mmCIF file with all atom_site columns, all heavy atoms in Angstrom:
data_model
loop_
_atom_site.group_PDB
_atom_site.id
_atom_site.type_symbol
_atom_site.label_atom_id
_atom_site.label_alt_id
_atom_site.label_comp_id
_atom_site.label_asym_id
_atom_site.label_entity_id
_atom_site.label_seq_id
_atom_site.pdbx_PDB_ins_code
_atom_site.Cartn_x
_atom_site.Cartn_y
_atom_site.Cartn_z
_atom_site.occupancy
_atom_site.B_iso_or_equiv
_atom_site.pdbx_formal_charge
_atom_site.auth_seq_id
_atom_site.auth_comp_id
_atom_site.auth_asym_id
_atom_site.auth_atom_id
_atom_site.pdbx_PDB_model_num
ATOM 1   N N   . ILE A 1 148 ? 113.772 144.892 143.744 1.00 89.00 ? 148 ILE A N   1
ATOM 2   C CA  . ILE A 1 148 ? 113.768 146.206 144.381 1.00 89.00 ? 148 ILE A CA  1
ATOM 3   C C   . ILE A 1 148 ? 114.862 147.048 143.752 1.00 89.00 ? 148 ILE A C   1
ATOM 4   O O   . ILE A 1 148 ? 115.863 146.531 143.252 1.00 89.00 ? 148 ILE A O   1
ATOM 5   C CB  . ILE A 1 148 ? 113.991 146.133 145.916 1.00 89.00 ? 148 ILE A CB  1
ATOM 6   C CG1 . ILE A 1 148 ? 115.145 145.173 146.267 1.00 89.00 ? 148 ILE A CG1 1
ATOM 7   C CG2 . ILE A 1 148 ? 112.729 145.764 146.639 1.00 89.00 ? 148 ILE A CG2 1
ATOM 8   C CD1 . ILE A 1 148 ? 115.507 145.163 147.732 1.00 89.00 ? 148 ILE A CD1 1
ATOM 9   N N   . GLN A 1 149 ? 114.627 148.357 143.761 1.00 86.00 ? 149 GLN A N   1
ATOM 10  C CA  . GLN A 1 149 ? 115.652 149.268 143.243 1.00 86.00 ? 149 GLN A CA  1
ATOM 11  C C   . GLN A 1 149 ? 115.582 150.579 144.000 1.00 86.00 ? 149 GLN A C   1
ATOM 12  O O   . GLN A 1 149 ? 114.630 150.794 144.774 1.00 86.00 ? 149 GLN A O   1
ATOM 13  C CB  . GLN A 1 149 ? 115.443 149.497 141.755 1.00 86.00 ? 149 GLN A CB  1
ATOM 14  C CG  . GLN A 1 149 ? 114.111 150.128 141.435 1.00 86.00 ? 149 GLN A CG  1
ATOM 15  C CD  . GLN A 1 149 ? 113.941 150.375 139.942 1.00 86.00 ? 149 GLN A CD  1
ATOM 16  O OE1 . GLN A 1 149 ? 114.664 149.826 139.145 1.00 86.00 ? 149 GLN A OE1 1
ATOM 17  N NE2 . GLN A 1 149 ? 112.989 151.193 139.596 1.00 86.00 ? 149 GLN A NE2 1
ATOM 18  N N   . ALA A 1 150 ? 116.585 151.420 143.775 1.00 83.00 ? 150 ALA A N   1
ATOM 19  C CA  . ALA A 1 150 ? 116.676 152.678 144.504 1.00 83.00 ? 150 ALA A CA  1
ATOM 20  C C   . ALA A 1 150 ? 115.345 153.402 144.466 1.00 83.00 ? 150 ALA A C   1
ATOM 21  O O   . ALA A 1 150 ? 114.743 153.545 143.417 1.00 83.00 ? 150 ALA A O   1
ATOM 22  C CB  . ALA A 1 150 ? 117.757 153.542 143.891 1.00 83.00 ? 150 ALA A CB  1
ATOM 23  N N   . GLY A 1 151 ? 114.897 153.858 145.632 1.00 82.00 ? 151 GLY A N   1
ATOM 24  C CA  . GLY A 1 151 ? 113.646 154.607 145.697 1.00 82.00 ? 151 GLY A CA  1
ATOM 25  C C   . GLY A 1 151 ? 112.475 153.779 146.161 1.00 82.00 ? 151 GLY A C   1
ATOM 26  O O   . GLY A 1 151 ? 111.452 154.312 146.567 1.00 82.00 ? 151 GLY A O   1
ATOM 27  N N   . ASP A 1 152 ? 112.609 152.432 146.129 1.00 87.00 ? 152 ASP A N   1
ATOM 28  C CA  . ASP A 1 152 ? 111.491 151.583 146.541 1.00 87.00 ? 152 ASP A CA  1
ATOM 29  C C   . ASP A 1 152 ? 111.416 151.488 148.053 1.00 87.00 ? 152 ASP A C   1
ATOM 30  O O   . ASP A 1 152 ? 112.427 151.512 148.748 1.00 87.00 ? 152 ASP A O   1
ATOM 31  C CB  . ASP A 1 152 ? 111.684 150.146 146.015 1.00 87.00 ? 152 ASP A CB  1
ATOM 32  C CG  . ASP A 1 152 ? 111.426 150.043 144.533 1.00 87.00 ? 152 ASP A CG  1
ATOM 33  O OD1 . ASP A 1 152 ? 110.906 151.021 143.968 1.00 87.00 ? 152 ASP A OD1 1
ATOM 34  O OD2 . ASP A 1 152 ? 111.742 148.991 143.944 1.00 87.00 ? 152 ASP A OD2 1
ATOM 35  N N   . SER A 1 153 ? 110.203 151.319 148.527 1.00 87.00 ? 153 SER A N   1
ATOM 36  C CA  . SER A 1 153 ? 110.015 150.968 149.914 1.00 87.00 ? 153 SER A CA  1
ATOM 37  C C   . SER A 1 153 ? 109.972 149.439 149.923 1.00 87.00 ? 153 SER A C   1
ATOM 38  O O   . SER A 1 153 ? 109.266 148.835 149.116 1.00 87.00 ? 153 SER A O   1
ATOM 39  C CB  . SER A 1 153 ? 108.692 151.577 150.356 1.00 87.00 ? 153 SER A CB  1
ATOM 40  O OG  . SER A 1 153 ? 108.417 151.206 151.646 1.00 87.00 ? 153 SER A OG  1
ATOM 41  N N   . VAL A 1 154 ? 110.751 148.807 150.798 1.00 91.00 ? 154 VAL A N   1
ATOM 42  C CA  . VAL A 1 154 ? 110.806 147.338 150.776 1.00 91.00 ? 154 VAL A CA  1
ATOM 43  C C   . VAL A 1 154 ? 109.437 146.800 151.212 1.00 91.00 ? 154 VAL A C   1
ATOM 44  O O   . VAL A 1 154 ? 108.935 147.167 152.275 1.00 91.00 ? 154 VAL A O   1
ATOM 45  C CB  . VAL A 1 154 ? 111.928 146.825 151.705 1.00 91.00 ? 154 VAL A CB  1
ATOM 46  C CG1 . VAL A 1 154 ? 111.940 145.304 151.747 1.00 91.00 ? 154 VAL A CG1 1
ATOM 47  C CG2 . VAL A 1 154 ? 113.276 147.362 151.248 1.00 91.00 ? 154 VAL A CG2 1
ATOM 48  N N   . PRO A 1 155 ? 108.803 145.936 150.393 1.00 90.00 ? 155 PRO A N   1
ATOM 49  C CA  . PRO A 1 155 ? 107.417 145.557 150.684 1.00 90.00 ? 155 PRO A CA  1
ATOM 50  C C   . PRO A 1 155 ? 107.262 144.409 151.679 1.00 90.00 ? 155 PRO A C   1
ATOM 51  O O   . PRO A 1 155 ? 106.180 144.193 152.189 1.00 90.00 ? 155 PRO A O   1
ATOM 52  C CB  . PRO A 1 155 ? 106.887 145.140 149.305 1.00 90.00 ? 155 PRO A CB  1
ATOM 53  C CG  . PRO A 1 155 ? 108.090 144.683 148.563 1.00 90.00 ? 155 PRO A CG  1
ATOM 54  C CD  . PRO A 1 155 ? 109.261 145.444 149.081 1.00 90.00 ? 155 PRO A CD  1
ATOM 55  N N   . ALA A 1 156 ? 108.337 143.664 151.936 1.00 91.00 ? 156 ALA A N   1
ATOM 56  C CA  . ALA A 1 156 ? 108.219 142.515 152.848 1.00 91.00 ? 156 ALA A CA  1
ATOM 57  C C   . ALA A 1 156 ? 109.607 142.195 153.386 1.00 91.00 ? 156 ALA A C   1
ATOM 58  O O   . ALA A 1 156 ? 110.604 142.648 152.826 1.00 91.00 ? 156 ALA A O   1
ATOM 59  C CB  . ALA A 1 156 ? 107.674 141.314 152.081 1.00 91.00 ? 156 ALA A CB  1
ATOM 60  N N   . ASP A 1 157 ? 109.690 141.416 154.455 1.00 91.00 ? 157 ASP A N   1
ATOM 61  C CA  . ASP A 1 157 ? 111.007 140.949 154.888 1.00 91.00 ? 157 ASP A CA  1
ATOM 62  C C   . ASP A 1 157 ? 111.449 139.958 153.822 1.00 91.00 ? 157 ASP A C   1
ATOM 63  O O   . ASP A 1 157 ? 110.662 139.086 153.419 1.00 91.00 ? 157 ASP A O   1
ATOM 64  C CB  . ASP A 1 157 ? 110.911 140.234 156.235 1.00 91.00 ? 157 ASP A CB  1
ATOM 65  C CG  . ASP A 1 157 ? 110.662 141.217 157.371 1.00 91.00 ? 157 ASP A CG  1
ATOM 66  O OD1 . ASP A 1 157 ? 110.662 142.436 157.085 1.00 91.00 ? 157 ASP A OD1 1
ATOM 67  O OD2 . ASP A 1 157 ? 110.457 140.785 158.511 1.00 91.00 ? 157 ASP A OD2 1
ATOM 68  N N   . ALA A 1 158 ? 112.678 140.097 153.349 1.00 91.00 ? 158 ALA A N   1
ATOM 69  C CA  . ALA A 1 158 ? 113.068 139.259 152.215 1.00 91.00 ? 158 ALA A CA  1
ATOM 70  C C   . ALA A 1 158 ? 114.567 138.994 152.207 1.00 91.00 ? 158 ALA A C   1
ATOM 71  O O   . ALA A 1 158 ? 115.356 139.788 152.716 1.00 91.00 ? 158 ALA A O   1
ATOM 72  C CB  . ALA A 1 158 ? 112.661 139.940 150.912 1.00 91.00 ? 158 ALA A CB  1
ATOM 73  N N   . ARG A 1 159 ? 114.899 137.866 151.645 1.00 92.00 ? 159 ARG A N   1
ATOM 74  C CA  . ARG A 1 159 ? 116.306 137.501 151.460 1.00 92.00 ? 159 ARG A CA  1
ATOM 75  C C   . ARG A 1 159 ? 116.695 137.969 150.056 1.00 92.00 ? 159 ARG A C   1
ATOM 76  O O   . ARG A 1 159 ? 115.983 137.689 149.086 1.00 92.00 ? 159 ARG A O   1
ATOM 77  C CB  . ARG A 1 159 ? 116.417 135.984 151.563 1.00 92.00 ? 159 ARG A CB  1
ATOM 78  C CG  . ARG A 1 159 ? 117.708 135.402 151.063 1.00 92.00 ? 159 ARG A CG  1
ATOM 79  C CD  . ARG A 1 159 ? 118.851 135.654 152.044 1.00 92.00 ? 159 ARG A CD  1
ATOM 80  N NE  . ARG A 1 159 ? 120.056 135.093 151.476 1.00 92.00 ? 159 ARG A NE  1
ATOM 81  C CZ  . ARG A 1 159 ? 120.478 133.859 151.721 1.00 92.00 ? 159 ARG A CZ  1
ATOM 82  N NH1 . ARG A 1 159 ? 119.796 133.069 152.522 1.00 92.00 ? 159 ARG A NH1 1
ATOM 83  N NH2 . ARG A 1 159 ? 121.596 133.428 151.169 1.00 92.00 ? 159 ARG A NH2 1
ATOM 84  N N   . ILE A 1 160 ? 117.829 138.681 149.953 1.00 91.00 ? 160 ILE A N   1
ATOM 85  C CA  . ILE A 1 160 ? 118.184 139.214 148.640 1.00 91.00 ? 160 ILE A CA  1
ATOM 86  C C   . ILE A 1 160 ? 119.178 138.314 147.897 1.00 91.00 ? 160 ILE A C   1
ATOM 87  O O   . ILE A 1 160 ? 119.908 137.547 148.515 1.00 91.00 ? 160 ILE A O   1
ATOM 88  C CB  . ILE A 1 160 ? 118.784 140.638 148.748 1.00 91.00 ? 160 ILE A CB  1
ATOM 89  C CG1 . ILE A 1 160 ? 119.959 140.660 149.737 1.00 91.00 ? 160 ILE A CG1 1
ATOM 90  C CG2 . ILE A 1 160 ? 117.736 141.645 149.119 1.00 91.00 ? 160 ILE A CG2 1
ATOM 91  C CD1 . ILE A 1 160 ? 120.790 141.916 149.640 1.00 91.00 ? 160 ILE A CD1 1
ATOM 92  N N   . PHE A 1 161 ? 119.165 138.424 146.592 1.00 90.00 ? 161 PHE A N   1
ATOM 93  C CA  . PHE A 1 161 ? 120.182 137.767 145.752 1.00 90.00 ? 161 PHE A CA  1
ATOM 94  C C   . PHE A 1 161 ? 120.357 138.604 144.488 1.00 90.00 ? 161 PHE A C   1
ATOM 95  O O   . PHE A 1 161 ? 119.552 139.510 144.239 1.00 90.00 ? 161 PHE A O   1
ATOM 96  C CB  . PHE A 1 161 ? 119.818 136.306 145.453 1.00 90.00 ? 161 PHE A CB  1
ATOM 97  C CG  . PHE A 1 161 ? 118.483 136.121 144.781 1.00 90.00 ? 161 PHE A CG  1
ATOM 98  C CD1 . PHE A 1 161 ? 118.399 135.956 143.404 1.00 90.00 ? 161 PHE A CD1 1
ATOM 99  C CD2 . PHE A 1 161 ? 117.301 136.105 145.514 1.00 90.00 ? 161 PHE A CD2 1
ATOM 100 C CE1 . PHE A 1 161 ? 117.173 135.761 142.778 1.00 90.00 ? 161 PHE A CE1 1
ATOM 101 C CE2 . PHE A 1 161 ? 116.072 135.924 144.898 1.00 90.00 ? 161 PHE A CE2 1
ATOM 102 C CZ  . PHE A 1 161 ? 116.012 135.757 143.536 1.00 90.00 ? 161 PHE A CZ  1
ATOM 103 N N   . ASN A 1 162 ? 121.415 138.321 143.734 1.00 86.00 ? 162 ASN A N   1
ATOM 104 C CA  . ASN A 1 162 ? 121.751 139.138 142.545 1.00 86.00 ? 162 ASN A CA  1
ATOM 105 C C   . ASN A 1 162 ? 121.744 140.623 142.857 1.00 86.00 ? 162 ASN A C   1
ATOM 106 O O   . ASN A 1 162 ? 121.281 141.435 142.069 1.00 86.00 ? 162 ASN A O   1
ATOM 107 C CB  . ASN A 1 162 ? 120.748 138.916 141.408 1.00 86.00 ? 162 ASN A CB  1
ATOM 108 C CG  . ASN A 1 162 ? 120.881 137.549 140.801 1.00 86.00 ? 162 ASN A CG  1
ATOM 109 O OD1 . ASN A 1 162 ? 121.842 136.837 141.126 1.00 86.00 ? 162 ASN A OD1 1
ATOM 110 N ND2 . ASN A 1 162 ? 119.955 137.178 139.936 1.00 86.00 ? 162 ASN A ND2 1
ATOM 111 N N   . SER A 1 163 ? 122.209 140.995 144.033 1.00 86.00 ? 163 SER A N   1
ATOM 112 C CA  . SER A 1 163 ? 122.139 142.413 144.387 1.00 86.00 ? 163 SER A CA  1
ATOM 113 C C   . SER A 1 163 ? 123.305 143.160 143.756 1.00 86.00 ? 163 SER A C   1
ATOM 114 O O   . SER A 1 163 ? 124.346 142.585 143.459 1.00 86.00 ? 163 SER A O   1
ATOM 115 C CB  . SER A 1 163 ? 122.164 142.579 145.890 1.00 86.00 ? 163 SER A CB  1
ATOM 116 O OG  . SER A 1 163 ? 123.439 142.220 146.375 1.00 86.00 ? 163 SER A OG  1
ATOM 117 N N   . SER A 1 164 ? 123.086 144.458 143.530 1.00 82.00 ? 164 SER A N   1
ATOM 118 C CA  . SER A 1 164 ? 124.147 145.281 142.963 1.00 82.00 ? 164 SER A CA  1
ATOM 119 C C   . SER A 1 164 ? 124.128 146.627 143.668 1.00 82.00 ? 164 SER A C   1
ATOM 120 O O   . SER A 1 164 ? 123.113 147.337 143.630 1.00 82.00 ? 164 SER A O   1
ATOM 121 C CB  . SER A 1 164 ? 123.876 145.443 141.463 1.00 82.00 ? 164 SER A CB  1
ATOM 122 O OG  . SER A 1 164 ? 124.674 146.457 140.938 1.00 82.00 ? 164 SER A OG  1
#
Side-chain angles (χ1 to χ4, degrees):
I148 45 174
Q149 61 179 16
D152 286 349
S153 176
V154 177
D157 288 355
R159 165 75 181 268
I160 53 166
F161 57 98
N162 290 351
S163 69
S164 166

